[in-house]
Short mmCIF file of all heavy atoms in Angstrom, two decimals:
data_model
loop_
_atom_site.label_atom_id
_atom_site.label_comp_id
_atom_site.label_asym_id
_atom_site.label_seq_id
_atom_site.Cartn_x
_atom_site.Cartn_y
_atom_site.Cartn_z
N LEU A 111 -3.06 1.87 7.01
CA LEU A 111 -2.99 1.45 8.35
C LEU A 111 -2.12 2.36 9.29
O LEU A 111 -1.38 2.03 10.04
CB LEU A 111 -2.34 0.08 8.41
CG LEU A 111 -3.16 -1.07 7.72
CD1 LEU A 111 -2.45 -2.26 7.61
CD2 LEU A 111 -4.58 -1.15 8.23
N GLY A 112 -2.41 3.73 9.03
CA GLY A 112 -1.71 4.71 9.87
C GLY A 112 -0.30 5.09 9.55
O GLY A 112 0.36 5.82 10.16
N LEU A 113 0.19 4.38 8.42
CA LEU A 113 1.56 4.63 8.00
C LEU A 113 1.52 5.53 6.68
O LEU A 113 0.57 5.37 5.94
CB LEU A 113 2.33 3.21 7.79
CG LEU A 113 2.49 2.33 8.88
CD1 LEU A 113 3.08 1.05 8.41
CD2 LEU A 113 3.44 2.86 9.80
N LYS A 114 2.62 6.27 6.49
CA LYS A 114 2.67 7.06 5.35
C LYS A 114 3.72 6.54 4.43
O LYS A 114 4.65 6.09 4.84
CB LYS A 114 3.11 8.49 5.86
CG LYS A 114 2.70 9.62 4.86
CD LYS A 114 2.96 10.95 5.48
CE LYS A 114 2.57 12.09 4.70
NZ LYS A 114 2.83 13.46 5.34
N PHE A 115 3.35 6.58 3.08
CA PHE A 115 4.23 6.12 2.04
C PHE A 115 4.36 7.13 0.87
O PHE A 115 3.42 7.62 0.35
CB PHE A 115 3.68 4.81 1.39
CG PHE A 115 3.59 3.73 2.44
CD1 PHE A 115 2.47 3.46 3.21
CD2 PHE A 115 4.65 2.82 2.74
CE1 PHE A 115 2.32 2.44 4.11
CE2 PHE A 115 4.57 1.89 3.74
CZ PHE A 115 3.48 1.63 4.37
N LYS A 116 5.73 7.37 0.57
CA LYS A 116 6.03 8.17 -0.55
C LYS A 116 6.11 7.39 -1.78
O LYS A 116 6.82 6.41 -1.85
CB LYS A 116 7.36 8.90 -0.27
CG LYS A 116 7.75 9.90 -1.43
CD LYS A 116 9.09 10.56 -1.00
CE LYS A 116 9.49 11.63 -2.01
NZ LYS A 116 10.87 12.12 -1.74
N ILE A 117 5.30 7.73 -2.81
CA ILE A 117 5.25 7.01 -4.00
C ILE A 117 5.66 7.81 -5.23
O ILE A 117 5.11 8.88 -5.47
CB ILE A 117 3.77 6.41 -4.24
CG1 ILE A 117 3.30 5.64 -3.02
CG2 ILE A 117 3.56 5.67 -5.53
CD1 ILE A 117 1.89 5.17 -2.99
N SER A 118 6.48 7.19 -6.01
CA SER A 118 7.02 7.90 -7.37
C SER A 118 6.39 7.06 -8.48
O SER A 118 5.66 6.10 -8.18
CB SER A 118 8.53 7.77 -7.28
OG SER A 118 9.04 6.43 -7.35
N PRO A 119 6.57 7.62 -9.67
CA PRO A 119 5.90 6.96 -10.83
C PRO A 119 6.17 5.56 -10.90
O PRO A 119 5.19 4.74 -11.30
CB PRO A 119 6.45 7.70 -12.00
CG PRO A 119 6.95 9.00 -11.46
CD PRO A 119 7.35 8.80 -10.00
N PHE A 120 7.34 5.10 -10.70
CA PHE A 120 7.72 3.64 -10.99
C PHE A 120 7.91 2.89 -9.65
O PHE A 120 8.30 1.68 -9.83
CB PHE A 120 8.97 3.66 -11.81
CG PHE A 120 8.90 4.42 -13.06
CD1 PHE A 120 9.54 5.74 -13.18
CD2 PHE A 120 8.08 4.10 -14.12
CE1 PHE A 120 9.36 6.44 -14.38
CE2 PHE A 120 8.00 4.79 -15.23
CZ PHE A 120 8.55 5.98 -15.37
N SER A 121 7.66 3.44 -8.53
CA SER A 121 7.79 2.52 -7.26
C SER A 121 6.67 1.57 -7.21
O SER A 121 5.59 1.78 -7.44
CB SER A 121 7.87 3.49 -5.98
OG SER A 121 6.70 4.25 -5.98
N PHE A 122 7.00 0.35 -6.60
CA PHE A 122 6.01 -0.69 -6.51
C PHE A 122 5.11 -0.33 -5.26
O PHE A 122 5.60 0.12 -4.17
CB PHE A 122 6.71 -2.06 -6.24
CG PHE A 122 5.64 -3.10 -5.84
CD1 PHE A 122 4.84 -3.68 -6.89
CD2 PHE A 122 5.28 -3.52 -4.47
CE1 PHE A 122 3.94 -4.58 -6.48
CE2 PHE A 122 4.38 -4.33 -4.18
CZ PHE A 122 3.61 -4.94 -5.21
N PHE A 123 3.78 -0.42 -5.53
CA PHE A 123 2.79 -0.37 -4.35
C PHE A 123 1.68 -1.12 -4.80
O PHE A 123 1.23 -1.26 -5.96
CB PHE A 123 2.47 1.11 -4.28
CG PHE A 123 1.92 1.43 -2.86
CD1 PHE A 123 2.67 1.59 -1.73
CD2 PHE A 123 0.45 1.72 -2.75
CE1 PHE A 123 2.01 1.88 -0.57
CE2 PHE A 123 -0.10 1.98 -1.54
CZ PHE A 123 0.58 2.01 -0.35
N GLN A 124 0.96 -1.75 -3.87
CA GLN A 124 -0.23 -2.56 -4.16
C GLN A 124 -1.26 -1.63 -4.91
O GLN A 124 -1.46 -0.56 -4.52
CB GLN A 124 -0.79 -3.09 -2.92
CG GLN A 124 -0.16 -4.19 -2.27
CD GLN A 124 -0.14 -5.57 -2.94
OE1 GLN A 124 -0.89 -5.67 -3.93
NE2 GLN A 124 0.43 -6.64 -2.34
N THR A 125 -1.77 -2.28 -6.01
CA THR A 125 -2.65 -1.41 -6.88
C THR A 125 -4.05 -1.19 -6.27
O THR A 125 -4.93 -0.49 -6.92
CB THR A 125 -2.74 -2.07 -8.22
OG1 THR A 125 -3.12 -3.46 -8.10
CG2 THR A 125 -1.45 -2.04 -9.02
N ASN A 126 -4.35 -1.82 -5.18
CA ASN A 126 -5.71 -1.71 -4.55
C ASN A 126 -5.41 -1.24 -3.11
O ASN A 126 -5.15 -2.09 -2.31
CB ASN A 126 -6.51 -3.00 -4.62
CG ASN A 126 -7.97 -2.84 -4.03
OD1 ASN A 126 -8.16 -2.02 -3.32
ND2 ASN A 126 -8.78 -3.85 -4.28
N SER A 127 -5.50 0.01 -2.85
CA SER A 127 -5.08 0.61 -1.47
C SER A 127 -5.95 0.14 -0.41
O SER A 127 -5.48 -0.35 0.60
CB SER A 127 -5.00 2.15 -1.53
OG SER A 127 -4.07 2.59 -2.49
N LEU A 128 -7.23 0.12 -0.61
CA LEU A 128 -8.05 -0.34 0.54
C LEU A 128 -8.16 -1.89 0.66
O LEU A 128 -8.07 -2.45 1.62
CB LEU A 128 -9.56 -0.01 0.11
CG LEU A 128 -9.77 1.65 0.14
CD1 LEU A 128 -11.22 1.94 -0.16
CD2 LEU A 128 -9.18 2.26 1.31
N GLY A 129 -7.85 -2.59 -0.49
CA GLY A 129 -7.72 -4.11 -0.52
C GLY A 129 -6.40 -4.48 0.16
O GLY A 129 -6.21 -5.45 0.95
N ALA A 130 -5.33 -3.61 -0.03
CA ALA A 130 -4.05 -3.80 0.65
C ALA A 130 -4.14 -3.64 2.27
O ALA A 130 -3.51 -4.45 2.96
CB ALA A 130 -3.03 -2.82 0.11
N GLU A 131 -5.02 -2.81 2.72
CA GLU A 131 -5.28 -2.63 4.04
C GLU A 131 -5.85 -4.04 4.61
O GLU A 131 -5.45 -4.41 5.76
CB GLU A 131 -6.20 -1.53 4.42
CG GLU A 131 -5.51 -0.23 4.20
CD GLU A 131 -6.31 0.96 4.86
OE1 GLU A 131 -7.59 0.93 4.84
OE2 GLU A 131 -5.58 1.88 5.31
N VAL A 132 -6.73 -4.58 3.89
CA VAL A 132 -7.38 -5.89 4.37
C VAL A 132 -6.32 -7.04 4.26
O VAL A 132 -6.20 -7.84 5.29
CB VAL A 132 -8.55 -6.27 3.42
CG1 VAL A 132 -9.05 -7.68 3.79
CG2 VAL A 132 -9.61 -5.30 3.53
N LEU A 133 -5.48 -6.95 3.23
CA LEU A 133 -4.38 -8.04 3.13
C LEU A 133 -3.47 -7.87 4.30
O LEU A 133 -3.09 -8.91 4.98
CB LEU A 133 -3.69 -7.69 1.80
CG LEU A 133 -2.51 -8.60 1.53
CD1 LEU A 133 -3.06 -10.06 1.10
CD2 LEU A 133 -1.61 -8.11 0.38
N TYR A 134 -2.97 -6.66 4.56
CA TYR A 134 -1.94 -6.41 5.61
C TYR A 134 -2.48 -6.62 7.04
O TYR A 134 -1.76 -7.09 7.88
CB TYR A 134 -1.31 -5.10 5.40
CG TYR A 134 -0.48 -4.97 4.16
CD1 TYR A 134 -0.54 -3.90 3.44
CD2 TYR A 134 0.29 -6.07 3.78
CE1 TYR A 134 0.07 -3.76 2.22
CE2 TYR A 134 0.92 -6.03 2.52
CZ TYR A 134 0.91 -4.78 1.81
OH TYR A 134 1.58 -4.69 0.60
N GLU A 135 -3.76 -6.24 7.28
CA GLU A 135 -4.30 -6.41 8.47
C GLU A 135 -4.57 -7.94 8.84
O GLU A 135 -4.31 -8.46 9.95
CB GLU A 135 -5.81 -5.80 8.65
CG GLU A 135 -5.75 -4.30 8.92
CD GLU A 135 -7.08 -3.72 9.03
OE1 GLU A 135 -8.08 -4.16 8.17
OE2 GLU A 135 -7.31 -2.79 9.68
N THR A 136 -5.02 -8.70 7.85
CA THR A 136 -5.09 -10.18 7.80
C THR A 136 -3.70 -10.83 8.14
O THR A 136 -3.60 -11.65 9.05
CB THR A 136 -5.66 -10.72 6.60
OG1 THR A 136 -6.90 -10.06 6.35
CG2 THR A 136 -5.99 -12.21 6.76
N ALA A 137 -2.68 -10.28 7.42
CA ALA A 137 -1.29 -10.82 7.52
C ALA A 137 -0.78 -10.58 8.96
O ALA A 137 -0.29 -11.52 9.64
CB ALA A 137 -0.44 -10.17 6.55
#
């Protein structure tokens, strides 16, 4: 959604990136 995220091996991030966009847009 136009935001940048730095991800390391163990950092939490939604496992479905495109699905996360739907989730957060809906939210």
Side-chain angles (χ1 to χ4, degrees):
L111 300 175
L113 296 171
K114 203 170 185 180
F115 296 93
K116 183 180 179 181
I117 299 172
S118 64
F120 306 106
S121 59
F122 173 78
F123 198 76
Q124 289 283 3
T125 52
N126 181 344
S127 295
L128 300 183
E131 287 194 326
V132 176
L133 180 74
Y134 296 137
E135 279 181 329
T136 307

